[in-house]
Amino acid sequence: MKHKFQVIEEQEITLANAVGAYLDCEHYVFLHGGIMPEMFAEKLEGRRITYRQGLRWGFLRSAHIFTTEYFPPGHFRTFDLKSSPKWMPSLHHVVKMVIDVRYTKHPERDTTLMQFDVELDMPFWLWPFRRILQGIMERMHYKKDQEDIEMIQRRAKIFGPHNISSYLAEGQFLLFKDDYVRHFGASARHSTDSPATSAARLL
Amino acid sequence: MHTLDLVMRQDQDYFPIPIEIASLLPDQLNHRRVSEGVEVVVFSEDNDRYFIARDICPHMGAPLAQARLCRKTGTLQCRWHGYIYDSGTGEMKENPNDKLFTKIKTAFQSYNPLSTPKYRIKRLSYEAAEGKIFVRRGAANET
Ligand code: FES
Ligand SMILES: [Fe+2]
């Protein structure tokens, strides 16, 4: 039985920053350590990356493997979630999840529309718990987004809202950086300062 | 140096709000405002010396006030990307993501580990007198 839900939210950050933050995988386990204390990238195939991720659900800990595919410029699909190791009891044995996160520019303002779509394919005996599952997923997603937005807005305050030079900097690792540069590089033409340089100037 | 001397020089050389030494919690990062819109992190080292820096990570600007200070390893770890800095020199020591993403980092042609900038948290110089720390303005200086 399929349960679908959607969250759409306007975020007070630019599209280039929202997508850049998603591709900036170096922050995942540090900024979001409360919900994903461990994460290893296992495999890259085209625009698909397979991760092994440790999770915390209150006092409980579990791990799972999943794949995220990037559809430039701002769409990420997560699917094929499995427990790790395979014999470990997990919801993933009985519920199939497909999670789509889409970032688009707000049609009127310089903000970002974040669209979170989830499809849960579950057995009938789990159906009565679908809203609980939905609530947990929405809360986790919201918490993660808030952590990102807090940092991005702070950086925007210091270096300017359109300054994405830290993502474009040669030494900065970004997933699918070539795609990112192709789609968002032009928006940074007027802000070529590196944050490190600007920070130094602030001192 | 006497406080009065410092007060006289404060406008040009020092940020206007001194840090009360007695208010600093030991063995942890203290977050203080030293002027309108200027915040610093400070912790006491041995021998009445203080590590003071702007509350801005040189990587992408995260608040260093949220960093993790480890006295045992002598490191500061930023909350955003987990970069580890030497809490004495401020030099970046390690990017722990190199281990977490080894398998795929090298798979991207755009990745060039040799081009990573040498990030460094710049220590601010100061004068301590009569229970107060006066943080120097201007370019970061070594203490
Ligand atoms: S902002 Fe501090 S490590 Fe990235
Ligand atoms: Fe994030």
Side-chain angles (χ1 to χ4, degrees):
Chain A
M1 301 174 84
K2 284 189 179 166
H3 175 60
K4 295 182 187 184
F5 60 92
Q6 182 179 70
V7 178
I8 298 180
E9 205 178 79
E10 182 178 353
Q11 300 183 338
E12 299 285 324
I13 54 177
T14 63
L15 179 63
N17 269 301
V19 176
Y22 205 109
L23 296 172
D24 170 23
C25 60
E26 291 199 329
H27 78 279
Y28 292 173
V29 295
F30 299 101
L31 187 62
H32 307 311
I35 43 177
M36 44 175 98
E38 285 174 15
M39 185 145 174
F40 292 93
E42 299 280 339
K43 201 168 71 185
L44 171 74
E45 268 175 333
R47 289 199 182 95
R48 291 180 174 190
I49 297 176
T50 304
Y51 295 98
R52 186 161 55 78
Q53 184 189 49
L55 283 176
R56 247 179 233 160
W57 306 72
F59 292 114
L60 296 175
R61 273 172 169 249
S62 69
H64 65 210
I65 294 178
F66 62 90
T67 300
T68 295
E69 183 162 7
Y70 176 44
F71 303 94
H75 177 190
F76 301 87
R77 170 170 293 164
T78 298
F79 58 98
D80 211 8
L81 292 97
K82 298 174 201 142
S83 68
S84 166
K86 268 196 184 127
W87 48 262
M88 191 135 101
S90 161
L91 211 57
H92 299 316
H93 293 307
V94 287
V95 182
K96 276 204 169 21
M97 300 181 187
V98 178
I99 303 164
D100 286 289
V101 179
R102 290 181 181 85
Y103 295 104
T104 47
K105 190 188 171 308
H106 191 286
E108 286 143 29
R109 292 182 282 280
D110 215 354
T111 56
T112 298
L113 290 174
M114 186 287 302
Q115 186 179 324
F116 178 60
D117 288 287
V118 178
E119 185 184 289
L120 303 174
D121 195 353
M122 60 179 71
F124 73 94
W125 50 271
L126 264 180
W127 188 249
F129 302 103
R130 64 194 183 283
R131 301 264 174 229
I132 297 175
L133 212 52
Q134 175 177 343
I136 292 172
M137 293 183 77
E138 283 178 355
R139 273 196 300 279
M140 279 174 71
H141 185 76
Y142 180 77
K143 181 175 182 331
K144 190 176 76 63
D145 270 2
Q146 290 313 300
E147 289 170 342
D148 284 326
I149 291 168
E150 183 198 330
M151 288 296 174
I152 295 169
Q153 287 183 335
R154 176 188 156 96
R155 189 182 52 203
K157 215 167 122 191
I158 301 173
F159 306 120
H162 295 278
N163 192 333
I164 52 164
S165 56
S166 50
Y167 295 137
L168 301 174
E170 206 199 332
Q172 180 59 45
F173 178 73
L174 219 58
L175 302 171
F176 311 107
K177 192 166 179 175
D178 294 342
D179 287 317
Y180 182 78
V181 173
R182 197 171 314 124
H183 288 280
F184 299 103
S187 70
R189 241 180 282 136
H190 56 288
S191 60
T192 49
D193 248 9
S194 92
T197 325
S198 319
R201 202 174 304 128
L202 275 171
L203 290 168
Chain B
M1 193 181 302
H2 291 290
T3 306
L4 191 63
D5 297 337
L6 284 170
V7 168
M8 290 174 69
R9 294 172 54 188
Q10 219 165 299
D11 277 350
Q12 339 126 5
D13 297 336
Y14 297 89
F15 287 114
I17 307 171
I19 298 166
E20 299 284 340
I21 292 175
S23 74
L24 297 176
L25 296 170
D27 288 329
Q28 58 176 279
L29 279 175
N30 296 267
H31 182 213
R32 294 289 184 274
R33 193 165 64 93
V34 291
S35 167
E36 197 54 54
V38 181
E39 289 167 16
V40 298
V41 288
V42 49
F43 65 87
S44 58
E45 301 175 300
D46 299 333
N47 309 323
D48 292 328
R49 276 166 53 93
Y50 299 92
F51 180 103
I52 306 175
R54 287 291 299 271
D55 182 25
I56 300 171
C57 176
H59 175 222
M60 284 199 198
L64 285 178
Q66 295 179 14
R68 192 186 304 159
L69 171 68
C70 178
R71 301 310 297 261
K72 217 162 104 194
T73 53
T75 55
L76 261 177
Q77 184 168 29
C78 177
R79 182 176 170 232
W80 198 351
H81 302 90
Y83 288 13
I84 298 171
Y85 297 92
D86 184 304
S87 64
T89 62
E91 303 281 350
M92 183 176 149
K93 282 175 87 168
E94 191 192 336
N95 176 359
N97 292 284
D98 287 341
K99 283 184 202 130
L100 306 178
F101 293 96
T102 331
K103 283 190 189 162
I104 60 156
K105 272 194 174 185
T106 45
F108 285 105
Q109 279 186 349
S110 56
Y111 178 56
N112 177 6
L114 298 175
S115 63
T116 306
K118 299 271 169 268
Y119 293 110
R120 184 164 150 263
I121 300 170
K122 289 181 180 165
R123 297 181 63 142
L124 297 173
S125 61
Y126 62 87
E127 295 286 348
E130 296 174 16
K132 291 185 170 70
I133 298 169
F134 296 83
V135 182
R136 220 179 258 278
R137 283 181 193 274
N141 296 309
E142 293 305 305
T143 50

